[in-house]
Amino acid sequence: MTPGVDARRTRAADAGTWLFLASLVMFYASLYSGYVLLRAGSETWTTPWLARPILWKIQPFVVSNTLWLVLAFVNTRQWRLAAASGAPRSIGVWLPTMAASGVALAWTGAADAMLKAGSGPAASVAAASWFVLTGALALGVLGGGLVATWWAWRDRRSETPVHALRQLQRYWGLMLVVWFSIVVGMYFV
Amino acid sequence: MIGEWLNRWLPTPASAHAARFDSVLAATHTEGALIFLSWLVLFAIMLVKFRARPGAPPGKPAGQRWPLVAVAAVVLGDVWLLAGSALPAWFERARPAPAGAAEVRVVAEQFAWNFHYPGPDLRFGRTTPSLITAADPIGIDRSDPAAADDFVLIGILVVPVDRPTVVHLSSKDVIHSFTLATMRVKQDVTPGLPVSTWFTPITTGSWEVGCSQLCGLGHYRMRALFEVRSEAEWQAFVADEVSRIEPPS
Amino acid sequence: MTRLTDHKTLGIAYANTSGVFMVVGFLLMLLFRWQLAWPGQPIPIATAIFGETNAPGGILLPEFYYQLVAMHGSVMIFLAVVPMAVGALGSYFVPLQIGAPGLAFPRLGAAGYLLYLAAGLLMAASFVLPGGAANSGWTSYPPLAILASSGQTVWLVGILMLGVSSMLGAISLLATIVAYRAPGLTLMRLPFFVWSQAMTALLLLLAFPALQAAAVFQLMDRVAGTSFFLPSGLAVSNTPLAVSGGGNPLLWQHLFWFLAHPEVYVLILPAMGVVAEVITAHARRTLWRYGLMVGAVVALGAWSMVVWAHHMLLTGMSTTLSSFFQITTMAVSVPSVILITSLVVTLWGGAIRYTTAMCFALAFLPMFGLGGVTGLPLGLGPSNLILHDTYYVIGHFHYLVAPGTMFALFAAVYHWFPKVTGRRLDERLGLVHFLGSFVTMNAVFLPMFLMGIMGVNRRMYDAGLQYQLAEPTLVWNPHMTWSAVALGVFQLVFVVNMVWSAKRGVPAENPWQATTLEWATSSPPPAGNFAVPPVVTGAPYRYEEGQA
């Protein structure tokens, strides 16, 4: 492989990731704008909190989700910096994997609590919005976790390319933004 | 010219605003025809003039400027259509109906138009879904004094001439579109989003109410009778219908 | 067997599959055109083919008719024209035109095709479900679509898969254009076709997610009992619906048209790109004002994302909002006019060779023009009110897509067939195909404008038999249906031509003496496309050189 070919591949991968992220932004933004429009147009849905009693039950989900996602983002950054400096990798590269499973588990728990409290998706548009928005995020996080796992396994005896890690980091950044938008838009407004 | 040609085909313009709406249609078609036909002539000339001929080399390409004049003309035409024709007519329609209008509630369902007339007291009585019967698909609550002279007709809309009529539209099930072609009235009826529109018939006649939005398997037969009668005939129609109201048992 | 990871194999796979779906979409249309021409008359063998539930005694039931209509639209747009214009032409010719050895992400491209194939088969198979395929129009407006039979669920899953498929394809194509252009091939030296494909891919990438989000909502409404699109107090046949309510049916329309209007440009832009390639090569002319055209195509793509609500002018939105969308709609006509003007002016002073490819490309211009000018009255409130949901609308968008985009696709086949097979299509059969298609297409669609002006609504199972105002138009329908049949016969000529010419056609390397890069390699191109990687030193169209 000539360096020229490598440079082209990196360039294509970079462009491809940006385009993928742009498409994902449009997807989450469309879901979110659906939520905003439905809520703005609703006459009964004026409480600032999703559904107060149930919120307290799923609060651990909110806290642990935030922690896991911040950890995954920070850790991907550490992973990239380590790869860039040639420093030895640590067990920390598995953190995105753990974060993803943590988020998925926490979501399942929270969804279960919602269902048990009679706030299933069919109960109200508010509950349905919660299920769709957080569910779509959980799927996105799971997907990111799978990619991170695959790379960590594939490169267990070699170096993961720095530019690939930079893209993974961007992906986790997007997940973090989506999550904060959900938290602010659903719980605090 | 284009306007006259369109008038030969359009449904009878029988409302006060129909002529104005038709003029927008004529204006858009005039601009469209001007652009299309002049362009077509130029195109045809070029097809003949610039055909490949053995031995003859191609000529000079077009100048860089003059075709842009045509583009600029189209832009000006668009501005004229918007500002001079379409938007003024559109905003005029958005004004509230003048006082003294007749009012009818229209409740759409698969696949029928139900018309709720307020009767001589001009007030709509309460309706309750639990009172719905085959004869009364909107469930008038006769215990409400305002409902005493209300009557419901399935598939028959009768309105007075030369007086505005306000229609209050709502749907029970899916999206329908309330269409009075001769009145130039068309309004989507979305469940959960009641909406009103109004028109002033200027000639008497007998036409039809149509549904313009796919509403299910019977969409094609969701049609109702639509009659515009003279004021006196309309009063007689209301009195006749009121006399037929059965007292609550 | 060559592999799908080769962009040429991929392009041909897309072409064959979308060609089959085009025939499927066409046959669905013939069926419902029979019903429109002779409402309630039995079709001789229909019961044997479609069963008692769809066509008892050979008579098409409304249940079946509305499936045919909904699936004709869905198949033609999502499974036939877009995969042909983007998947087939884009995958095959964009790498060649930029001098690349292949696509940047060949496996993504192949995955995109397989997802498209799976989605297509799934949607086509939904006809055998109880209740049949989707029947709420290709627009699938709720609440109707939520009450519909299970075919609608399959339709939604298919749309989700197609969204992922087009995203993968778009990423692969755009990354290729960004990273794999030949040395010296700057952005302003790209053939116009590449620009049109790039803009199309960008539109698919950014607009399709809105429909996917909407499909997620509608899927939830159908299978999880949510009420995103269901308001409170719904009653079907006076039986209250057991849902929580609180949703809004118009939210679907906003999300749907946010995709579906750019989708119109997804159908049109590749066609414009093809026409630009064909006109330049067959009239021996450089594109008139290439830079302006590139600007216009970018502007058109960007602007197409802020006009969507002109499909919703009669939903009861505020006058201010609807005026805003009327203004944006008029503005979007400016770049369209620039593009079409540039294409026509390109002919000026040229030496037009009337090949079949050129005939189709030239015919595209007035057909697209007619579709364009009939968009004017539909984009303005008062005239839209008269014409909304009438046959005028059907005429308008078919002129853009059927004699419009389809003619450009035919032009592409005649123009690039020698590139793909090394042989030319027969020109005499081509002329028959062109003249036949031109006459019959217009005979099918031209009367629709008049029907619309007379107030005849679309989506009428009985062609408007119940309506006074439709009465004079009923006698036109048999003629239109016969024209559609004849249109099909002329396509048989085309199919015969392709099959025969692929084996026996006149061998040709670059029969049009075209100067764009795809012709700089042998026909068909070898694996890896170029024996010697090309280096670009100038503009794509160099037809005036040595002739001045």
Side-chain angles (χ1 to χ4, degrees):
Chain A
M1 289 277 164
T2 60
V5 172
D6 256 2
R8 282 181 155 199
R9 282 194 155 176
T10 311
R11 205 160 168 229
D14 260 353
T17 313
W18 279 118
L19 293 166
F20 174 62
L21 290 181
S23 197
L24 269 190
V25 166
M26 290 303 290
F27 178 68
Y28 284 112
S30 301
L31 286 180
Y32 200 80
S33 68
Y35 160 72
V36 171
L37 276 170
L38 285 171
R39 180 159 172 177
S42 168
E43 284 161 12
T44 55
W45 191 358
T46 47
T47 49
W49 294 71
L50 175 69
R52 276 167 198 272
I54 188 64
L55 186 89
W56 292 106
K57 280 193 189 157
I58 60 172
Q59 203 186 18
F61 158 72
V62 179
V63 175
S64 75
N65 240 10
T66 312
L67 278 177
W68 279 120
L69 283 171
V70 171
L71 270 178
F73 178 74
V74 171
N75 183 256
T76 318
R77 189 167 172 275
Q78 296 306 109
W79 187 0
R80 169 175 69 81
L81 291 176
S85 65
R89 301 182 329 164
S90 67
I91 188 70
V93 298
W94 294 96
L95 247 167
T97 313
M98 287 150 67
S101 33
V103 168
L105 270 178
W107 186 81
T108 320
D112 189 52
M114 295 272 289
L115 283 170
K116 281 200 180 117
S119 290
S124 67
V125 178
S129 300
W130 183 88
F131 271 91
V132 167
L133 283 181
T134 57
L137 174 87
L139 280 179
V141 170
L142 206 58
L146 284 176
V147 171
T149 313
W150 174 38
W151 285 359
W153 176 254
R154 183 190 65 186
D155 302 331
R156 63 196 177 282
R157 289 193 198 84
S158 62
E159 291 297 333
T160 309
V162 177
H163 79 93
L165 289 171
R166 195 175 288 124
Q167 285 146 16
L168 189 65
Q169 191 191 332
R170 283 177 195 139
Y171 181 83
W172 284 109
L174 173 64
M175 289 298 120
L176 211 54
V177 170
V178 172
W179 172 244
F180 282 136
S181 315
I182 293 175
V183 170
V184 171
M186 275 203 140
Y187 297 94
F188 290 104
V189 179
Chain B
M1 191 180 75
I2 299 267
E4 283 163 25
W5 182 82
L6 284 171
N7 280 338
R8 285 196 4 226
W9 300 99
L10 281 165
T12 325
S15 72
H17 71 274
R20 182 141 192 209
F21 271 42
D22 290 358
S23 77
V24 177
L25 193 71
T28 52
H29 278 84
T30 306
E31 180 182 325
L34 272 177
I35 297 171
F36 187 69
L37 293 177
S38 51
W39 175 89
L40 204 60
V41 170
L42 177 75
F43 185 57
I45 292 173
M46 285 166 69
L47 288 187
V48 177
K49 192 166 175 233
F50 301 121
R51 68 187 187 280
R53 273 160 294 193
K60 276 170 66 174
Q64 292 292 292
R65 292 267 161 86
W66 65 262
L68 292 180
V69 176
V71 174
V74 172
V75 175
L76 286 178
D78 285 355
V79 172
W80 167 70
L81 278 182
L82 266 173
S85 181
L87 289 186
W90 193 240
F91 273 95
E92 193 185 282
R93 287 292 302 143
R95 285 178 320 169
E103 291 187 69
V104 184
R105 277 185 65 215
V106 181
V107 181
E109 68 181 302
Q110 288 176 325
F111 302 97
W113 295 106
N114 306 306
F115 300 100
H116 177 183
Y117 298 79
D121 70 348
L122 304 180
R123 288 189 302 152
F124 291 104
R126 203 167 45 233
T127 58
T128 312
S130 60
L131 294 172
I132 286 174
T133 60
D136 175 10
I138 63 170
I140 292 180
D141 184 354
R142 297 283 178 201
S143 67
D144 177 12
D149 61 350
D150 288 13
F151 58 94
V152 176
L153 294 180
I154 304 172
I156 302 170
L157 173 62
V158 183
V159 300
V161 73
D162 292 331
R163 192 141 76 85
T165 292
V166 180
V167 281
H168 304 284
L169 300 155
S170 61
S171 166
K172 287 183 184 178
D173 40 34
V174 301
I175 303 177
H176 303 274
S177 190
F178 178 78
T179 307
L180 301 172
T182 50
M183 297 293 133
R184 305 297 186 263
V185 166
K186 194 178 284 172
Q187 174 65 53
D188 283 4
V189 192
T190 308
L193 298 166
V195 62
S196 300
T197 187
W198 63 277
F199 56 94
T200 309
I202 51 172
T203 51
T204 57
S206 177
W207 299 290
E208 50 206 346
V209 182
C211 178
S212 296
Q213 188 69 261
L214 177 61
C215 58
L217 302 178
H219 165 59
Y220 67 98
R221 56 184 160 84
M222 186 163 166
R223 177 183 166 273
L225 294 178
F226 169 51
E227 282 189 22
V228 178
R229 297 190 186 171
S230 70
E231 185 72 30
E233 280 176 328
W234 186 73
Q235 298 286 4
F237 153 79
V238 171
D240 179 49
E241 289 294 337
V242 169
S243 72
R244 289 184 210 210
I245 296 173
E246 289 174 23
S249 50
Chain C
M1 199 188 107
T2 43
R3 295 162 59 90
L4 279 177
T5 43
D6 178 67
H7 75 99
K8 298 185 288 295
T9 316
L10 182 69
I12 290 169
Y14 262 117
N16 290 337
T17 314
S18 56
V20 169
F21 277 118
M22 224 166 255
V23 174
V24 171
F26 188 85
L27 292 176
L28 295 175
M29 176 277 286
L30 281 188
L31 278 173
F32 68 69
R33 277 251 43 120
W34 171 291
Q35 165 66 19
L36 290 173
W38 303 283
Q41 293 291 311
I43 302 176
I45 50 166
T47 314
I49 303 174
F50 307 113
E52 281 291 332
T53 48
N54 290 324
I59 298 167
L60 300 187
L61 292 182
E63 286 84 340
F64 191 43
Y65 174 87
Y66 284 115
Q67 291 172 40
L68 295 173
V69 173
M71 292 308 284
H72 165 75
S74 308
V75 166
M76 282 303 201
I77 292 168
F78 294 115
L79 302 177
V81 177
V82 171
M84 182 69 89
V86 181
L89 297 181
S91 306
Y92 198 104
F93 294 106
V94 166
L96 284 171
Q97 284 204 324
I98 62 172
L103 287 168
F105 309 119
R107 277 177 296 179
L108 277 195
Y113 167 75
L114 292 173
L115 258 175
Y116 150 66
L117 181 66
L121 292 177
L122 200 64
M123 284 164 96
S126 67
F127 274 104
V128 304
L129 287 173
N135 63 4
S136 310
W138 82 282
T139 49
S140 290
Y141 280 8
L144 183 64
I146 293 167
L147 304 172
S149 60
S150 52
Q152 181 64 25
T153 305
V154 177
W155 187 90
L156 291 166
V157 172
I159 287 295
L160 285 172
M161 291 164 72
L162 286 170
V164 178
S165 157
S166 63
M167 178 186 76
L168 296 177
I171 289 176
S172 174
L173 197 80
L174 283 169
T176 310
I177 298 174
V178 168
Y180 285 88
R181 296 192 308 276
L185 186 53
T186 57
L187 286 181
M188 294 314 272
R189 285 176 179 176
L190 287 174
F192 185 71
F193 178 75
V194 177
W195 271 108
S196 75
Q197 286 285 342
M199 208 56 218
T200 305
L202 205 58
L203 283 182
L204 280 173
L205 198 70
L206 297 181
F208 223 116
L211 180 59
Q212 284 178 295
V216 168
F217 286 141
Q218 199 180 100
L219 208 54
M220 289 289 283
D221 277 6
R222 288 183 55 90
V223 300
T226 59
S227 297
F228 287 109
F229 301 132
L230 298 173
S232 308
L234 281 187
V236 177
S237 308
N238 293 322
T239 313
L241 221 55
V243 293
S244 69
N248 184 348
L250 292 187
L251 174 61
W252 166 269
Q253 296 188 26
H254 279 294
L255 291 172
F256 179 85
W257 287 115
F258 187 82
L259 157 84
H261 196 78
E263 182 82 2
V264 174
Y265 293 89
V266 167
L267 296 163
I268 281 298
L269 293 184
M272 292 227 175
V274 168
V275 171
E277 298 304 303
V278 173
I279 282 189
T280 48
H282 296 251
R284 319 309 298 161
R285 268 284 165 255
T286 300
L287 269 188
W288 185 80
R289 287 219 163 204
Y290 168 87
L292 185 71
M293 284 185 76
V294 170
V297 83
V298 173
L300 193 62
W303 201 251
S304 76
M305 300 188 101
V306 289
V307 298
W308 77 90
H310 67 212
H311 296 267
M312 303 166 58
L313 293 179
L314 302 182
T315 53
M317 65 168 73
S318 80
T319 315
T320 318
L321 196 59
S322 66
S323 302
F324 168 77
F325 280 105
Q326 291 176 50
I327 292 168
T328 58
T329 301
M330 286 300 114
V332 87
S333 70
V334 176
S336 315
V337 170
I338 288 178
L339 285 174
I340 201 99
T341 307
S342 300
L343 289 171
V344 175
V345 175
T346 297
L347 296 169
W348 193 272
I352 302 171
R353 302 169 178 177
Y354 286 99
T355 55
T356 311
M358 188 61 164
C359 288
F360 272 118
L362 291 173
F364 165 86
L365 298 169
M367 296 295 96
F368 176 81
L370 206 50
V373 294
T374 51
L376 280 177
L378 291 173
L380 295 169
S383 40
N384 172 280
L385 183 140
I386 298 173
L387 301 171
H388 186 75
D389 265 318
T390 67
Y391 266 92
Y392 195 93
V393 180
I394 311 266
H396 157 69
F397 67 71
H398 277 92
Y399 263 96
L400 293 174
V401 178
T405 298
M406 287 298 294
F407 277 11
L409 293 179
F410 288 143
V413 173
Y414 284 93
H415 180 71
W416 278 320
F417 195 82
K419 184 75 249 168
V420 177
T421 64
R423 289 171 191 278
R424 285 180 64 165
L425 283 165
D426 185 82
E427 287 286 326
R428 283 157 305 175
L429 289 179
L431 192 65
V432 172
H433 176 217
F434 166 70
L435 290 175
S437 301
F438 186 80
V439 172
T440 52
M441 281 268 197
N442 282 290
V444 174
F445 295 117
L446 208 53
M448 291 186 180
F449 291 125
L450 216 45
M451 293 166 88
I453 289 168
M454 291 165 77
V456 183
N457 280 342
R458 61 192 286 203
R459 290 168 169 165
M460 290 285 162
Y461 163 66
D462 60 359
L465 216 52
Q466 322 255 336
Y467 283 83
Q468 293 167 24
L469 49 76
E471 205 270 326
T473 67
L474 294 176
V475 293
W476 304 351
N477 275 314
H479 299 287
M480 292 157 71
T481 298
W482 282 122
S483 300
V485 172
L487 175 62
V489 172
F490 286 112
Q491 304 320 301
L492 289 180
V493 176
F494 178 48
V495 173
V496 167
N497 194 353
M498 283 195 290
V499 172
W500 187 84
S501 300
K503 288 254 164 64
R504 309 252 167 120
V506 181
E509 271 289 311
N510 180 3
W512 327 119
Q513 296 87 42
T515 59
T516 38
L517 266 188
E518 79 271 30
W519 299 100
T521 182
S522 60
S523 304
N529 290 346
F530 297 92
V532 183
V535 176
V536 177
T537 55
Y541 310 110
R542 298 186 304 279
Y543 296 110
E544 278 101 355
E545 282 172 17
Q547 294 178 331

